[in-house]
Amino acid sequence: MKRFFVFILLISFSFNLVEADSSNSVAAETSERFLDSFGGSGVYNKDTEFLSFNEIVGKGKGEALPNNFWDSVIRYFPDVKQLYISAYNVPSVPQLIQKLKSLKSLSLIGCNVEVLPASIGKLTSLEVLNLGNNKLKKLPKEIGDLKKLESLYLNENKLSSLPVSIGNLKSLEMLNLSHNNLKKLHEKIRTLKKLNYLNLTDNQFPENYFKNVLSTNFTKSSLDQGVYVRKSD
């Protein structure tokens, strides 16, 4: 009787292993099918948890992402650490992006982004946020909740102001604000003690703005007149 019971247990265990392997195989095939649907522009590196969708090498620049895109990314790559999307048409980023809790780097470059959700502040592991070459006119105040953020690229947008909460980014080392419509910066920018690189090229700052507001903490780069670097202590 004992032998029979052990035999049944072994069969059950083996069946569960086969079922688990089958489920993993189906999941892998489904994620691969999802990437393949992008015609060569969808790439995933499992070792670095890097997921990339570069429309420039895909079907044609400016194509819209499929309706199920964000749901599929969350389903198939829940632990992705780096997400890079370039040249797709992504006017608005959905609130559910907050589910990608492991993200350390998020890039949406040249994607016509107009709206960034408040939930961006939930991505508390983010160290790099690249939103260059989009159509952003404002940022949600929740961006100031990204306490680990080290690099923030906002170049080539339509920003005329920044939220005061930018001053809460205590880990920020690099801030690119070039090619926007900015006329002033909140003085809290000067309190970001780790900020070593500040690019203000091609904005609408009044004459002598640098001298009056930034000269205490920053000096102009010798290589680019719109770039400022922190003064040495």
Side-chain angles (χ1 to χ4, degrees), residues 100-227:
L100 297 174
K101 300 288 188 183
S102 299
L103 269 186
K104 290 188 174 183
S105 176
L106 173 62
S107 296
L108 293 163
I109 303 172
C111 292
N112 297 319
V113 178
E114 298 177 9
V115 179
L116 201 62
S119 63
I120 195 75
K122 301 291 186 181
L123 300 177
T124 53
S125 295
L126 267 189
E127 296 174 359
V128 177
L129 179 57
N130 192 334
L131 298 168
N133 192 16
N134 283 294
K135 297 181 178 180
L136 289 167
K137 293 183 179 180
K138 63 179 182 179
L139 300 174
K141 67 180 186 301
E142 288 80 7
I143 199 168
D145 296 333
L146 304 176
K147 306 300 184 184
K148 294 184 179 179
L149 197 65
E150 297 176 358
S151 299
L152 177 57
Y153 299 83
L154 295 168
N155 50 293
E156 297 180 83
N157 277 280
K158 298 182 178 182
L159 297 168
S160 57
S161 64
L162 299 175
V164 177
S165 60
I166 285 287
N168 298 331
L169 301 176
K170 302 302 183 183
S171 297
L172 198 63
E173 299 176 4
M174 199 286 298
L175 177 58
N176 190 339
L177 297 170
S178 62
H179 307 288
N180 277 283
N181 301 318
L182 295 167
K183 296 181 180 179
K184 63 179 181 178
L185 296 175
H186 195 278
E187 62 181 23
K188 288 188 73 174
I189 289 286
R190 293 187 296 179
T191 69
L192 299 177
K193 296 184 177 181
K194 291 188 177 182
L195 185 61
N196 294 314
Y197 177 96
L198 177 61
N199 192 337
L200 302 177
T201 304
D202 193 18
N203 276 279
Q204 298 180 21
F205 295 106
E207 190 176 354
N208 295 324
Y209 183 82
F210 164 73
K211 181 179 179 181
N212 296 334
V213 179
L214 297 175
S215 59
T216 303
N217 307 88
F218 295 88
T219 185
K220 282 187 177 181
S221 167
S222 59
L223 300 177
D224 190 331
Q225 289 300 300
V227 174

